[in-house]
Amino acid sequence: MLLENKVVLVTGGSRGIGAAVAVESARQGADVAIHSNRGGEVAEEVIREIEALGRRAIHVEGDVAAFESAQTFVDAAVEAFGRVDVFVSNAGICPFHAFLDMPPETLKRTMEVNLHGAYFMTQAAANQMVKQGNGGSIVAVSSISALVGGEYQTHYTPTKAGVHSLMQSCAIALGKHGIRCNSVLPGTILTDINKDDLADPKKREYMENRIPLGRLGQPDDLGGPVVFLASDLAKYVTGAALLVDGGMFVNLQ
Ligand SMILES: NC(=O)C1=CN([C@@H]2O[C@H](COP(=O)(O)OP(=O)(O)OC[C@H]3O[C@@H](n4cnc5c(N)ncnc54)[C@H](O)[C@@H]3O)[C@@H](O)[C@H]2O)C=CC1
Ligand SMILES: C[C@H](O)[C@@H]1OC(=O)[C@H](O)[C@@H]1O
């Protein structure tokens, strides 16, 4: 098992990609703390799935955009499991909207959740790893959107480029502490975040046709790549970005 007896923290772990990463981490031997702004049955389902794999799990509810959420999450994980070995910064939103009339509040909220939230959380997890003194691994869920644009994502794509850049700078800042920092760049993965957008059959077909592997992604397509980067198999990998997009990015013609 790649993460045997490790402690893994995942933001946005109640749904979609984060939930899949949390469950795959448990399958690979880790105890898992998930954070999200949705408690109740949704988070309970993930907790039950992890426990069914014989591992321990907790859910901490909060808003990643609030600075204090980060320390609260890390403290809760340390109280439950004793330490933090792996941190996955995943929580994010993408309220599709046109550029010319973008409401300032939508822009602000998207920046605060996706970028400031990733920053605060990564910082709190890194401080805990530094305190522990035996390194660690941080993986951020950026996006193919860090590299290419989207007509209705002008507020979103800069946050994903920002998260990718954050991991590059953190790889430098934290290398001396033995903490590796990498990002994954998913393509289009079927989750709540794009349910409405992909409800349009024409849009969905267009996206499918752009993917050499012939299908849209599923959340568990990210489980393996994130676990790989988190694990010692990737012990000399830091500051890297791994596209997980079925080949969509390279498909010009
Ligand atoms: N689905 C896709 O096609 C792609 C998604 N991504 C990224 O993957 C990450 C996860 O997204 P999905 O799983 O697709 O979406 P999702 O909507 O299924 O899950 C989002 C998760 O983040 C949590 N969350 C949202 N806002 C939060 C907040 N303010 N505070 C705390 N938790 C919050 C939600 O509760 C949920 O657990 C996002 O960062 C997104 O940008 C990147 C590329 C493609
Ligand atoms: C939400 C979108 O479907 C999704 O988000 C991303 O980051 C990808 O670029 C997809 O467009």
Side-chain angles (χ1 to χ4, degrees):
M1 284 193 281
L2 292 180
L3 299 177
E4 194 152 18
N5 294 324
K6 299 279 187 196
V7 176
V8 175
L9 277 62
V10 186
T11 67
S14 66
R15 295 289 295 165
I17 293 170
V21 167
V23 170
E24 185 57 31
S25 298
R27 192 172 291 120
Q28 295 294 335
D31 291 326
V32 186
I34 60 174
H35 180 278
S36 82
N37 60 352
R38 293 164 69 171
E41 190 47 35
V42 175
E44 281 306 316
E45 214 178 295
V46 182
I47 300 290
R48 278 197 296 273
E49 217 176 320
I50 291 171
E51 289 174 346
L53 291 164
R55 302 308 309 188
R56 296 178 293 168
I58 59 163
H59 174 256
V60 179
E61 192 170 337
D63 178 0
V64 292
F67 174 71
E68 60 278 8
S69 293
Q71 199 56 53
T72 302
F73 182 37
V74 169
D75 288 347
V78 171
E79 195 184 328
F81 305 132
R83 62 185 197 282
V84 175
D85 299 309
V86 173
F87 175 70
V88 182
S89 175
N90 164 76
I93 56 171
C94 181
F96 286 76
H97 200 98
F99 174 60
L100 291 176
D101 64 349
M102 177 68 66
E105 272 314 308
T106 304
L107 169 65
K108 188 167 177 281
R109 180 70 182 156
T110 305
M111 295 276 174
E112 286 175 353
V113 172
N114 295 6
L115 189 51
H116 297 189
Y119 195 105
F120 300 150
M121 282 282 180
T122 298
Q123 187 185 43
N127 271 307
Q128 177 62 31
M129 290 172 181
V130 170
K131 195 156 83 181
Q132 293 166 188
N134 55 357
S137 175
I138 297 173
V139 183
V141 179
S142 171
S143 171
I144 189 174
S145 299
L147 310 176
V148 288
E151 180 175 359
Y152 298 99
Q153 295 177 305
T154 56
H155 52 325
Y156 171 80
T157 59
T159 68
K160 295 283 115 178
V163 164
H164 167 52
S165 169
L166 174 64
M167 285 302 105
Q168 292 180 321
S169 289
C170 285
I172 304 166
L174 299 173
K176 57 171 137 338
H177 299 287
I179 300 169
R180 298 182 295 103
C181 302
N182 296 289
S183 56
V184 288
L185 278 50
T188 298
I189 313 296
L190 290 163
T191 69
D192 295 345
I193 209 172
N194 49 29
K195 212 192 256 167
D196 293 343
D197 187 52
L198 295 173
D200 173 358
K202 275 200 193 126
K203 173 82 185 271
R204 187 174 170 136
E205 198 187 336
Y206 167 75
M207 296 306 286
E208 280 166 353
N209 286 338
R210 292 206 50 188
I211 301 172
L213 289 184
R215 64 172 176 86
L216 296 169
Q218 293 292 338
D220 77 349
D221 288 320
L222 270 301
V226 172
V227 163
F228 162 70
L229 288 171
S231 78
D232 286 347
L233 277 186
K235 62 182 187 293
Y236 198 56
V237 181
T238 196
L242 178 57
L243 273 164
V244 186
D245 66 346
M248 181 158 58
F249 179 72
V250 297
N251 187 14
L252 181 60
Q253 53 187 315

